[in-house]
Amino acid sequence: MACARGDEGACGADEVDEGTRSKGGTVSARIWALIAQGQFAEAQVLIAESAAAGLLSQQQAARMLERITLLNTRLGQVPASLQRVRDFPSQLREHTLFQIKQLLEQRDFTLATQAQLKLAEKLIEQQERLMEKVQ
């Protein structure tokens, strides 16, 4: 939830590299802030430009892009076997992880209960681990 709020150190922002300073702070901190605000297109452009300019390592850029991909994942994109779990919140199928995190943070339970939102969040974030358990 700290990620959706834009808290420093959230969204995997522990990768912030103090050696890459730009106006107003580090490039990576700026990118993590954009990701935390859901401004994925802007973050992707800044990642590409910063990586090309050598301000970000390819490894940092890859981690950031992976996080964007995860936050853009819709619940309906999880494997079918995970969609068959008990109490699967099908009404959230078209919602992204980012949107689900925002609903949880805002305590907006108009679309789903808190438990359903947390289940949806877990199904998206921990797909690989959960799939290992299913098999």
Side-chain angles (χ1 to χ4, degrees):
M1 282 190 234
C3 172
R5 282 196 305 269
D7 291 353
E8 190 171 325
C11 291
D14 54 327
E15 288 92 359
V16 171
D17 180 7
E18 291 301 319
T20 55
R21 292 253 172 227
S22 66
K23 291 182 181 178
T26 65
V27 171
S28 58
R30 175 72 181 133
I31 293 168
W32 286 118
L34 287 170
I35 293 170
Q37 295 165 6
Q39 297 176 8
F40 303 133
E42 293 89 342
Q44 288 173 319
V45 169
L46 190 53
I47 291 167
E49 290 173 354
S50 299
L55 298 174
L56 283 180
S57 70
Q58 291 302 318
Q59 185 179 4
Q60 283 178 307
R63 279 194 303 263
M64 291 171 173
L65 292 171
E66 286 172 16
R67 186 63 186 170
I68 291 170
T69 300
L70 182 64
L71 288 169
N72 267 327
T73 302
R74 295 188 186 288
L75 183 59
Q77 293 174 304
V78 299
S81 55
L82 291 180
Q83 291 187 35
R84 289 190 289 270
V85 300
R86 188 169 176 251
D87 299 326
F88 180 79
S90 58
Q91 70 276 21
L92 297 173
R93 234 179 247 284
E94 294 304 313
H95 286 74
T96 64
L97 175 59
F98 182 78
Q99 292 167 324
I100 291 167
K101 285 182 172 288
Q102 283 188 317
L103 291 171
L104 276 166
E105 180 183 308
Q106 296 165 0
R107 303 188 59 73
D108 180 353
F109 306 121
T110 55
L111 292 177
T113 66
Q114 182 175 12
Q116 289 175 316
L117 289 170
K118 286 186 177 188
L119 175 62
E121 178 183 41
K122 182 177 180 178
L123 288 172
I124 295 172
E125 287 184 328
Q126 300 177 18
Q127 286 180 57
E128 291 174 20
R129 187 179 70 79
L130 294 170
M131 283 302 293
E132 288 173 7
K133 287 185 175 186
V134 170
Q135 296 174 355

